[in-house]
Amino acid sequence: MEGHSIVTLDDMSTTDIQDILDRAGYIDAHRAEVSHTCDGRVLATLFYEPSTRTRLSFETAMLRLGGKVIGFAGAQLASVTKGESISDTLKTVSNYADVVAIRHPKEGAALVAAEASRVPVINAGDGGHMHPTQTLADLATLRSRFGRITDLTVGLCGDLTFGRTVHSLIETLCRFGDVHFVLISPEELTTPQYVLDRIDATPSCSYTEVRDLTAVIGDLDVLYMTRVQKERFFNEDDYLRLRDTYILDEAKLAMSKPDMAVLHPLPRVNEIAVEVDSDPRAAYFDQVRNGMLVRMALESMVVGDDLAGYEPARPLSGKVGI
């Protein structure tokens, strides 16, 4: 993966993805040993839309590896306000940094950035399209909870139309196979057809579309909650009407399996009641930790810095990204 950009997980083999998860687990158990892995490296975080967790996660990942961070947290703080293109920004910034993390509201922006950059670019989310590092965090959380990422019934609830985390997770789980998806949403926010087609194209995967969370929660191994994203709506009335459609509280959670895992990409608004946080089924703050760990793994891999003492468990494909 050295020198390659990570725009999507599609270009990685499942073996490569498992290796990233292995590295993240190794990092978690060997914090001191890896703390100087990226000494002298610089990460640039170019965030054209608001973010707290993802930006701080990327930055903390590099700092914990011994590197440094530059960048901006909002388009209003960048030369885009003067009309500079993404391409020109990357041609400039890639002279300063060893790796770039970019988030942008437009789909395809990360690919444009990767093609212009002289150094690896990691997609931190582009519009409603892809969010590969969040998917890796999700997979790491599933593996830590269940010891596997297959043979699961995965419920995805809320905004399934605009939720890039949902689309990325479904796509990647289909590559591993043996997953039944339960797609829970209002009529206005159903899963796009191209995502359903991807499930249909995987013989070992299947899906059910439902409107009522309580009717299916007892069947789920995983419940992936999402917020209804105000920034994706053109009509505020539609947003206000749909935002409270699904709220997970103690009463609903009581209907689920005792070992069900509740995931959420965060930030939440009110779709998960605060009372759920103390339940052992709540895994969304574990996702935050796992997100930092997989970003540590990725950042070190794309710049070619080896983790002290780490030995890959399986041969890697050698074909990744751009």
Side-chain angles (χ1 to χ4, degrees):
M1 290 178 64
E2 181 178 356
H4 291 288
S5 291
I6 309 300
V7 175
T8 171
L9 297 183
D10 295 351
D11 297 322
M12 292 185 192
S13 70
T14 53
T15 300
D16 293 329
I17 293 172
Q18 288 173 319
D19 181 60
I20 294 168
L21 302 182
D22 290 344
R23 288 172 188 263
Y26 178 85
I27 289 167
D28 196 26
H30 299 84
R31 298 289 186 98
E33 291 91 330
V34 305
S35 61
H36 294 285
T37 300
C38 292
D39 279 356
R41 299 292 190 180
V42 176
L43 165 73
T45 51
L46 311 184
F47 276 60
Y48 288 83
E49 65 177 358
S51 169
T52 301
R53 274 147 296 275
T54 303
R55 180 176 60 84
L56 293 181
S57 180
F58 269 103
E59 294 180 353
T60 303
M62 180 54 76
L63 293 171
R64 285 187 177 275
L65 291 169
K68 294 179 171 57
V69 178
I70 61 173
F72 56 80
Q76 74 278 6
L77 303 176
S79 290
V80 65
T81 58
K82 304 174 185 177
E84 183 173 67
S85 67
I86 294 173
S87 180
D88 279 0
T89 297
L90 267 294
K91 288 176 182 177
T92 300
V93 172
S94 59
N95 285 292
Y96 306 146
D98 299 288
V99 56
V100 174
I102 184 171
R103 167 169 284 190
H104 200 282
K106 292 185 179 179
E107 296 181 10
L111 179 59
V112 172
E115 291 176 340
S117 178
R118 298 172 55 179
V119 300
V121 171
I122 302 176
N123 183 4
D126 58 335
H129 187 217
M130 288 291 172
H131 197 348
T133 61
Q134 179 63 54
T135 298
L136 291 170
D138 299 340
L139 296 178
T141 305
L142 294 181
R143 197 166 77 161
S144 69
R145 285 280 174 142
F146 299 102
R148 65 187 191 280
I149 53 178
T150 60
D151 187 26
L152 295 169
T153 297
V154 178
L156 301 115
C157 180
D159 177 2
L160 306 189
T161 297
F162 300 107
R164 60 189 167 201
T165 58
V166 169
H167 304 163
S168 290
L169 182 59
I170 291 174
E171 163 66 28
T172 307
L173 285 175
C174 281
R175 295 178 61 197
F176 287 92
D178 196 16
V179 174
H180 177 64
F181 298 98
V182 181
L183 307 171
I184 311 153
S185 71
E187 189 69 39
E188 296 90 340
L189 295 173
T190 56
T191 310
Q193 187 60 48
Y194 79 90
V195 178
L196 300 180
D197 291 343
R198 179 66 180 91
I199 301 172
D200 284 334
T202 308
S204 64
C205 291
S206 57
Y207 71 88
T208 305
E209 290 187 283
V210 300
R211 304 287 170 257
D212 184 3
L213 171 59
T214 59
V216 296
I217 193 170
D219 301 326
L220 306 178
D221 298 308
V222 180
L223 175 58
Y224 197 101
M225 296 293 294
T226 68
R227 68 186 172 95
V228 176
Q229 303 173 80
K230 183 177 182 179
E231 61 266 32
R232 306 296 178 206
F233 279 83
F234 295 108
N235 186 323
E236 187 171 4
D237 289 340
D238 288 341
Y239 164 72
L240 293 173
R241 179 169 52 85
L242 294 171
R243 67 177 179 179
D244 295 333
T245 302
Y246 301 103
I247 298 176
L248 180 66
D249 54 21
E250 283 185 333
K252 291 188 181 73
L253 198 58
M255 298 184 244
S256 70
K257 297 177 182 179
D259 61 346
M260 184 187 77
V262 180
L263 276 67
H264 191 302
L266 301 177
R268 67 174 163 190
V269 181
N270 63 345
E271 59 277 2
I272 299 179
V274 175
E275 64 196 28
V276 174
D277 294 354
S278 59
D279 192 285
R281 286 165 284 201
Y284 32 92
F285 293 115
D286 292 341
Q287 282 172 277
V288 174
R289 185 187 70 255
N290 288 323
M292 179 193 68
L293 295 171
V294 298
R295 290 170 184 123
M296 289 176 73
L298 272 183
E299 288 171 7
S300 61
M301 292 171 81
V302 298
V303 300
D305 290 339
D306 295 329
L307 300 170
Y310 176 77
E311 294 291 339
R314 48 187 74 82
L316 304 184
S317 71
K319 180 184 177 183
V320 181
I322 293 173

